[in-house]
mmCIF file of all heavy atoms in Angstrom:
data_model
loop_
_atom_site.group_PDB
_atom_site.id
_atom_site.type_symbol
_atom_site.label_atom_id
_atom_site.label_comp_id
_atom_site.label_asym_id
_atom_site.label_seq_id
_atom_site.Cartn_x
_atom_site.Cartn_y
_atom_site.Cartn_z
ATOM 1 N N THR A 294 -1.275 26.731 15.281
ATOM 2 C CA THR A 294 -2.175 25.774 14.718
ATOM 3 C C THR A 294 -1.885 24.506 15.482
ATOM 4 O O THR A 294 -2.739 23.737 15.946
ATOM 5 C CB THR A 294 -1.988 25.532 13.248
ATOM 6 O OG1 THR A 294 -2.439 26.817 12.554
ATOM 7 C CG2 THR A 294 -2.920 24.346 12.711
ATOM 8 N N ILE A 295 -0.621 24.029 15.605
ATOM 9 C CA ILE A 295 -0.130 22.864 16.219
ATOM 10 C C ILE A 295 -0.600 22.744 17.668
ATOM 11 O O ILE A 295 -0.845 21.684 18.208
ATOM 12 C CB ILE A 295 1.371 22.526 16.106
ATOM 13 C CG1 ILE A 295 1.710 22.417 14.572
ATOM 14 C CG2 ILE A 295 1.840 21.512 16.963
ATOM 15 C CD1 ILE A 295 3.356 22.449 14.353
ATOM 16 N N ALA A 296 -0.584 23.804 18.283
ATOM 17 C CA ALA A 296 -0.930 24.013 19.717
ATOM 18 C C ALA A 296 -2.434 24.066 19.998
ATOM 19 O O ALA A 296 -2.758 24.674 21.078
ATOM 20 C CB ALA A 296 -0.154 24.982 20.483
ATOM 21 N N ALA A 297 -3.263 23.898 19.024
ATOM 22 C CA ALA A 297 -4.733 23.958 19.152
ATOM 23 C C ALA A 297 -5.167 23.250 20.397
ATOM 24 O O ALA A 297 -4.779 22.093 20.510
ATOM 25 C CB ALA A 297 -5.443 23.416 17.910
ATOM 26 N N PRO A 298 -6.040 23.844 21.399
ATOM 27 C CA PRO A 298 -6.403 23.215 22.533
ATOM 28 C C PRO A 298 -6.948 21.721 22.340
ATOM 29 O O PRO A 298 -7.618 21.540 21.433
ATOM 30 C CB PRO A 298 -7.516 24.121 23.074
ATOM 31 C CG PRO A 298 -7.180 25.369 22.395
ATOM 32 C CD PRO A 298 -6.621 25.135 21.066
ATOM 33 N N LEU A 299 -6.629 20.855 23.244
ATOM 34 C CA LEU A 299 -7.044 19.532 23.231
ATOM 35 C C LEU A 299 -8.081 19.187 24.349
ATOM 36 O O LEU A 299 -8.048 19.867 25.329
ATOM 37 C CB LEU A 299 -5.750 18.570 23.409
ATOM 38 C CG LEU A 299 -4.684 18.731 22.393
ATOM 39 C CD1 LEU A 299 -3.493 17.764 22.796
ATOM 40 C CD2 LEU A 299 -5.152 18.429 20.979
ATOM 41 N N ASP A 300 -8.722 18.142 24.136
ATOM 42 C CA ASP A 300 -9.669 17.640 25.166
ATOM 43 C C ASP A 300 -8.992 16.501 25.981
ATOM 44 O O ASP A 300 -9.429 16.226 27.219
ATOM 45 C CB ASP A 300 -10.906 17.211 24.666
ATOM 46 C CG ASP A 300 -11.677 18.327 23.896
ATOM 47 O OD1 ASP A 300 -12.143 19.265 24.525
ATOM 48 O OD2 ASP A 300 -11.834 18.132 22.691
ATOM 49 N N CYS A 301 -7.932 15.992 25.400
ATOM 50 C CA CYS A 301 -7.329 14.771 26.072
ATOM 51 C C CYS A 301 -5.959 14.521 25.534
ATOM 52 O O CYS A 301 -5.663 15.036 24.359
ATOM 53 C CB CYS A 301 -8.153 13.446 26.239
ATOM 54 S SG CYS A 301 -8.404 12.770 24.537
ATOM 55 N N LEU A 302 -5.054 13.806 26.070
ATOM 56 C CA LEU A 302 -3.896 13.422 25.675
ATOM 57 C C LEU A 302 -3.653 11.927 25.866
ATOM 58 O O LEU A 302 -3.757 11.367 26.974
ATOM 59 C CB LEU A 302 -2.734 14.078 26.307
ATOM 60 C CG LEU A 302 -1.283 13.773 25.877
ATOM 61 C CD1 LEU A 302 -1.024 14.112 24.373
ATOM 62 C CD2 LEU A 302 -0.271 14.357 26.683
ATOM 63 N N GLY A 303 -3.344 11.318 24.728
ATOM 64 C CA GLY A 303 -3.056 9.775 24.857
ATOM 65 C C GLY A 303 -1.586 9.503 25.038
ATOM 66 O O GLY A 303 -0.755 10.248 24.359
ATOM 67 N N ILE A 304 -1.229 8.643 25.833
ATOM 68 C CA ILE A 304 0.140 8.356 26.308
ATOM 69 C C ILE A 304 0.464 6.791 25.964
ATOM 70 O O ILE A 304 -0.292 6.010 26.578
ATOM 71 C CB ILE A 304 0.566 8.702 27.596
ATOM 72 C CG1 ILE A 304 0.449 10.312 27.788
ATOM 73 C CG2 ILE A 304 1.992 8.155 27.977
ATOM 74 C CD1 ILE A 304 0.646 10.784 29.259
ATOM 75 N N ASN A 305 1.443 6.506 25.023
ATOM 76 C CA ASN A 305 1.749 5.052 24.996
ATOM 77 C C ASN A 305 3.121 4.899 25.614
ATOM 78 O O ASN A 305 4.109 5.640 25.379
ATOM 79 C CB ASN A 305 1.962 4.804 23.367
ATOM 80 C CG ASN A 305 0.572 4.860 22.665
ATOM 81 O OD1 ASN A 305 -0.431 5.039 23.177
ATOM 82 N ND2 ASN A 305 0.709 4.603 21.358
ATOM 83 N N TYR A 306 3.108 3.926 26.487
ATOM 84 C CA TYR A 306 4.381 3.487 27.295
ATOM 85 C C TYR A 306 4.744 2.120 27.163
ATOM 86 O O TYR A 306 3.848 1.238 27.488
ATOM 87 C CB TYR A 306 4.254 4.048 28.727
ATOM 88 C CG TYR A 306 5.269 3.682 29.541
ATOM 89 C CD1 TYR A 306 6.427 4.479 29.611
ATOM 90 C CD2 TYR A 306 5.299 2.485 30.287
ATOM 91 C CE1 TYR A 306 7.496 4.020 30.421
ATOM 92 C CE2 TYR A 306 6.389 2.173 31.208
ATOM 93 C CZ TYR A 306 7.468 2.887 31.186
ATOM 94 O OH TYR A 306 8.523 2.640 31.944
ATOM 95 N N TYR A 307 5.971 1.798 26.867
ATOM 96 C CA TYR A 307 6.373 0.381 26.788
ATOM 97 C C TYR A 307 7.583 0.188 27.746
ATOM 98 O O TYR A 307 7.687 -1.009 28.167
ATOM 99 C CB TYR A 307 6.728 -0.017 25.425
ATOM 100 C CG TYR A 307 5.422 -0.165 24.579
ATOM 101 C CD1 TYR A 307 4.957 0.901 23.706
ATOM 102 C CD2 TYR A 307 4.758 -1.393 24.642
ATOM 103 C CE1 TYR A 307 3.792 0.757 23.082
ATOM 104 C CE2 TYR A 307 3.596 -1.554 23.796
ATOM 105 C CZ TYR A 307 3.101 -0.446 23.001
ATOM 106 O OH TYR A 307 1.905 -0.648 22.299
ATOM 107 N N HIS A 308 8.487 1.212 27.815
ATOM 108 C CA HIS A 308 9.684 0.962 28.546
ATOM 109 C C HIS A 308 10.297 2.287 28.791
ATOM 110 O O HIS A 308 10.132 3.259 28.058
ATOM 111 C CB HIS A 308 10.628 -0.045 27.944
ATOM 112 C CG HIS A 308 11.135 0.428 26.466
ATOM 113 N ND1 HIS A 308 12.251 1.237 26.498
ATOM 114 C CD2 HIS A 308 10.658 0.101 25.292
ATOM 115 C CE1 HIS A 308 12.360 1.354 25.078
ATOM 116 N NE2 HIS A 308 11.410 0.791 24.514
ATOM 117 N N GLY A 309 11.256 2.401 29.646
ATOM 118 C CA GLY A 309 12.036 3.486 29.940
ATOM 119 C C GLY A 309 13.553 3.189 29.426
ATOM 120 O O GLY A 309 13.734 2.281 28.680
ATOM 121 N N GLU A 310 14.453 4.274 29.632
ATOM 122 C CA GLU A 310 15.744 4.325 29.151
ATOM 123 C C GLU A 310 16.763 4.695 30.307
ATOM 124 O O GLU A 310 16.492 5.512 31.040
ATOM 125 C CB GLU A 310 16.008 5.210 27.998
ATOM 126 C CG GLU A 310 14.761 5.629 27.285
ATOM 127 C CD GLU A 310 14.338 4.862 26.157
ATOM 128 O OE1 GLU A 310 15.113 3.976 25.644
ATOM 129 O OE2 GLU A 310 13.121 4.758 25.818
ATOM 130 N N LEU A 311 17.768 3.938 30.432
ATOM 131 C CA LEU A 311 18.943 4.253 31.271
ATOM 132 C C LEU A 311 20.047 4.708 30.402
ATOM 133 O O LEU A 311 20.464 3.836 29.516
ATOM 134 C CB LEU A 311 19.359 3.199 32.333
ATOM 135 C CG LEU A 311 20.292 3.523 33.379
ATOM 136 C CD1 LEU A 311 19.785 4.639 34.341
ATOM 137 C CD2 LEU A 311 20.768 2.338 34.129
ATOM 138 N N LEU A 312 20.713 5.959 30.498
ATOM 139 C CA LEU A 312 21.492 6.482 29.432
ATOM 140 C C LEU A 312 22.832 6.857 30.006
ATOM 141 O O LEU A 312 22.777 7.428 31.178
ATOM 142 C CB LEU A 312 20.712 7.597 28.783
ATOM 143 C CG LEU A 312 19.367 7.098 28.224
ATOM 144 C CD1 LEU A 312 18.592 8.348 27.947
ATOM 145 C CD2 LEU A 312 19.714 6.503 26.880
ATOM 146 N N SER A 313 23.778 6.814 29.178
ATOM 147 C CA SER A 313 25.147 7.218 29.603
ATOM 148 C C SER A 313 25.694 7.954 28.409
ATOM 149 O O SER A 313 25.438 7.775 27.173
ATOM 150 C CB SER A 313 26.072 6.008 29.952
ATOM 151 O OG SER A 313 27.355 6.425 30.176
ATOM 152 N N GLY A 314 26.668 8.897 28.738
ATOM 153 C CA GLY A 314 27.389 9.574 27.690
ATOM 154 C C GLY A 314 28.765 8.894 27.308
ATOM 155 O O GLY A 314 29.425 9.406 26.406
ATOM 156 N N THR A 315 29.023 7.834 28.027
ATOM 157 C CA THR A 315 30.241 7.057 27.685
ATOM 158 C C THR A 315 30.045 5.647 27.709
ATOM 159 O O THR A 315 29.128 5.156 28.420
ATOM 160 C CB THR A 315 31.348 7.347 28.744
ATOM 161 O OG1 THR A 315 30.850 7.078 30.038
ATOM 162 C CG2 THR A 315 31.844 8.838 28.816
ATOM 163 N N PRO A 316 30.631 4.977 26.833
ATOM 164 C CA PRO A 316 30.583 3.535 26.791
ATOM 165 C C PRO A 316 30.856 2.684 28.189
ATOM 166 O O PRO A 316 31.789 3.220 28.690
ATOM 167 C CB PRO A 316 31.438 2.993 25.600
ATOM 168 C CG PRO A 316 31.803 4.196 24.775
ATOM 169 C CD PRO A 316 31.664 5.338 25.716
ATOM 170 N N GLN A 317 30.187 1.802 28.424
ATOM 171 C CA GLN A 317 30.529 1.124 29.573
ATOM 172 C C GLN A 317 29.995 -0.272 29.590
ATOM 173 O O GLN A 317 29.252 -0.600 28.820
ATOM 174 C CB GLN A 317 29.876 1.756 30.863
ATOM 175 C CG GLN A 317 28.436 2.054 30.774
ATOM 176 C CD GLN A 317 27.881 2.911 31.999
ATOM 177 O OE1 GLN A 317 27.603 2.376 33.009
ATOM 178 N NE2 GLN A 317 27.714 4.164 31.651
ATOM 179 N N PRO A 318 30.395 -1.179 30.511
ATOM 180 C CA PRO A 318 29.894 -2.532 30.430
ATOM 181 C C PRO A 318 28.407 -2.515 30.628
ATOM 182 O O PRO A 318 27.797 -1.839 31.442
ATOM 183 C CB PRO A 318 30.567 -3.253 31.683
ATOM 184 C CG PRO A 318 31.811 -2.465 31.812
ATOM 185 C CD PRO A 318 31.579 -0.999 31.472
ATOM 186 N N GLY A 319 27.781 -3.266 29.743
ATOM 187 C CA GLY A 319 26.357 -3.337 29.734
ATOM 188 C C GLY A 319 25.706 -2.287 28.926
ATOM 189 O O GLY A 319 24.508 -2.260 28.899
ATOM 190 N N SER A 320 26.460 -1.514 28.193
ATOM 191 C CA SER A 320 25.919 -0.622 27.212
ATOM 192 C C SER A 320 25.377 -1.340 25.909
ATOM 193 O O SER A 320 25.900 -2.420 25.653
ATOM 194 C CB SER A 320 26.935 0.451 26.703
ATOM 195 O OG SER A 320 27.347 1.393 27.720
ATOM 196 N N GLU A 321 24.473 -0.737 25.182
ATOM 197 C CA GLU A 321 23.859 -1.483 24.045
ATOM 198 C C GLU A 321 23.410 -0.339 23.109
ATOM 199 O O GLU A 321 23.388 0.819 23.349
ATOM 200 C CB GLU A 321 22.692 -2.280 24.381
ATOM 201 C CG GLU A 321 21.598 -1.495 25.114
ATOM 202 C CD GLU A 321 20.324 -2.541 25.448
ATOM 203 O OE1 GLU A 321 20.631 -3.683 25.735
ATOM 204 O OE2 GLU A 321 19.176 -1.933 25.408
ATOM 205 N N GLY A 322 22.995 -0.755 21.839
ATOM 206 C CA GLY A 322 22.469 0.120 20.882
ATOM 207 C C GLY A 322 21.098 0.513 21.325
ATOM 208 O O GLY A 322 20.504 0.032 22.245
ATOM 209 N N THR A 323 20.393 1.546 20.582
ATOM 210 C CA THR A 323 19.104 1.969 20.930
ATOM 211 C C THR A 323 18.118 0.868 20.721
ATOM 212 O O THR A 323 18.138 -0.017 19.776
ATOM 213 C CB THR A 323 18.805 3.097 19.812
ATOM 214 O OG1 THR A 323 17.240 3.366 20.078
ATOM 215 C CG2 THR A 323 18.973 2.774 18.357
ATOM 216 N N PRO A 324 17.147 0.756 21.757
ATOM 217 C CA PRO A 324 16.075 -0.211 21.690
ATOM 218 C C PRO A 324 14.989 0.219 20.647
ATOM 219 O O PRO A 324 14.033 -0.511 20.646
ATOM 220 C CB PRO A 324 15.540 -0.272 23.069
ATOM 221 C CG PRO A 324 15.825 1.042 23.616
ATOM 222 C CD PRO A 324 17.130 1.509 22.953
ATOM 223 N N HIS A 325 15.256 1.226 19.960
ATOM 224 C CA HIS A 325 14.129 1.673 19.015
ATOM 225 C C HIS A 325 14.568 1.484 17.561
ATOM 226 O O HIS A 325 13.968 1.998 16.583
ATOM 227 C CB HIS A 325 14.036 3.184 19.230
ATOM 228 C CG HIS A 325 13.692 3.530 20.641
ATOM 229 N ND1 HIS A 325 12.409 3.346 21.175
ATOM 230 C CD2 HIS A 325 14.400 4.107 21.602
ATOM 231 C CE1 HIS A 325 12.391 3.834 22.412
ATOM 232 N NE2 HIS A 325 13.572 4.190 22.705
ATOM 233 N N ASP A 326 15.477 0.405 17.303
ATOM 234 C CA ASP A 326 16.115 0.395 15.984
ATOM 235 C C ASP A 326 15.084 -0.570 15.070
ATOM 236 O O ASP A 326 15.097 -0.534 13.935
ATOM 237 C CB ASP A 326 17.290 -0.463 16.014
ATOM 238 C CG ASP A 326 18.475 0.494 16.339
ATOM 239 O OD1 ASP A 326 18.220 1.615 16.265
ATOM 240 O OD2 ASP A 326 19.468 -0.082 16.742
ATOM 241 N N GLY A 327 14.047 -1.275 15.598
ATOM 242 C CA GLY A 327 13.120 -2.132 14.792
ATOM 243 C C GLY A 327 13.745 -3.371 14.509
ATOM 244 O O GLY A 327 14.626 -4.011 15.170
#
Side-chain angles (χ1 to χ4, degrees):
T294 298
I295 290 169
L299 304 177
D300 300 301
C301 65
L302 177 67
I304 295 172
N305 292 356
Y306 173 82
Y307 289 94
H308 61 86
E310 341 271 338
L311 188 65
L312 303 156
S313 177
T315 55
Q317 56 186 280
S320 293
E321 59 180 32
T323 169
H325 305 282
D326 284 341

